[in-house]
Amino acid sequence: MMKNNSDALQAGDFSLSISSRLKQLRNDMGLSLDKAATLTGVSKAMLGQIERQESSPTIATLWKIATGLNASFSSFIAANAQSEFDVNHGFIHDPNMQVKTLFPFDVNKGFEVFEITLTHFHEQRSTAHQSGVTEHIHCIEGRLTLRQGDESKTITAGEQYLIKADQVHGYKDESGETQFINIIHYPVL
């Protein structure tokens, strides 16, 4: 029972983190919900629900928001630069994908690092990120199929692959449970 209360608290903290970051970005950029919806491809209604903590976005939706607002993914999920956060508690719609922030986005270095676990042969697709964004993938355990555009490549534990993430891309667990490191590099603008 204690674990459930802790999970609920973390999920609430997680929703608050996303909500606060979305509001902050919109205010800093002087964007209405309509304009933010146009930039992100996420409906005005959904953005409003996320800001009011009435809805928890999927991982794919959060990526669309981050990309459209030219922000890092980890800026929505890491409360501060020193935190680690297992976002499985916040992404209730993506139970077969767990994401742990190892290094939140660093503006001076231009990257962020995640440890990702996919289970039950889950496939996660992502829309294109900003121009020039790359994802450096290192498979820790399992078997992982990576897609970018029309190409696919399967790697296993100890192997690496570079994804050009400024096009449609994705990851698929091919072994029932696959764990990998994802280093996302943003080009200096």
Side-chain angles (χ1 to χ4, degrees):
M1 186 113 157
M2 181 73 127
K3 185 177 188 296
N4 290 338
N5 290 338
S6 174
D7 287 350
L9 179 61
Q10 286 180 335
D13 291 346
F14 183 63
S15 288
L16 179 59
S17 176
I18 293 172
S19 170
S20 298
R21 180 66 175 145
L22 178 54
K23 287 178 194 174
Q24 176 194 12
L25 282 170
R26 274 198 329 103
N27 288 335
D28 291 351
M29 298 172 77
L31 300 175
S32 65
L33 279 173
D34 282 327
K35 184 63 176 169
T38 299
L39 290 172
T40 64
V42 176
S43 74
K44 174 183 171 181
M46 177 57 75
L47 291 173
Q49 289 172 359
I50 293 168
E51 282 193 5
R52 293 186 304 274
Q53 299 178 55
E54 295 171 353
S55 180
S56 179
T58 63
I59 292 170
T61 299
L62 190 55
W63 263 116
K64 287 172 76 173
I65 294 168
T67 298
L69 298 180
N70 207 17
S72 71
F73 183 80
S74 65
S75 71
F76 285 92
I77 61 175
N80 62 57
Q82 302 303 315
S83 71
E84 286 185 7
F85 197 90
D86 178 351
V87 301
N88 189 44
H89 296 293
F91 289 102
I92 59 174
H93 305 294
D94 297 304
N96 295 314
M97 183 173 183
Q98 299 171 351
V99 180
K100 184 178 193 180
T101 303
L102 299 180
F103 296 96
F105 179 71
D106 181 321
V107 71
N108 295 318
K109 299 195 178 9
F111 73 88
E112 57 193 345
V113 181
F114 302 99
E115 178 184 279
I116 300 174
T117 303
L118 301 177
T119 57
H120 299 96
F121 304 95
H122 179 69
E123 182 171 11
Q124 183 69 38
R125 296 212 175 231
S126 182
T127 56
H129 303 320
Q130 298 97 326
S131 180
V133 173
T134 56
E135 296 188 18
H136 305 251
I137 307 295
H138 173 77
C139 187
I140 298 170
E141 68 177 58
R143 192 167 159 213
L144 181 67
T145 295
L146 301 162
R147 300 187 195 292
Q148 63 179 9
D150 295 330
E151 299 175 22
S152 67
K153 168 81 173 170
T154 300
I155 62 174
T156 58
E159 295 182 318
Q160 300 80 32
Y161 192 72
L162 175 66
I163 294 177
K164 295 175 185 168
D166 55 4
Q167 58 188 300
V168 174
H169 58 285
Y171 332 90
K172 184 176 184 200
D173 165 33
E174 299 288 355
S175 60
E177 182 170 325
T178 300
Q179 186 176 45
F180 61 99
I181 300 294
N182 187 350
I183 302 168
I184 302 175
H185 182 261
Y186 300 84
V188 177
L189 301 177

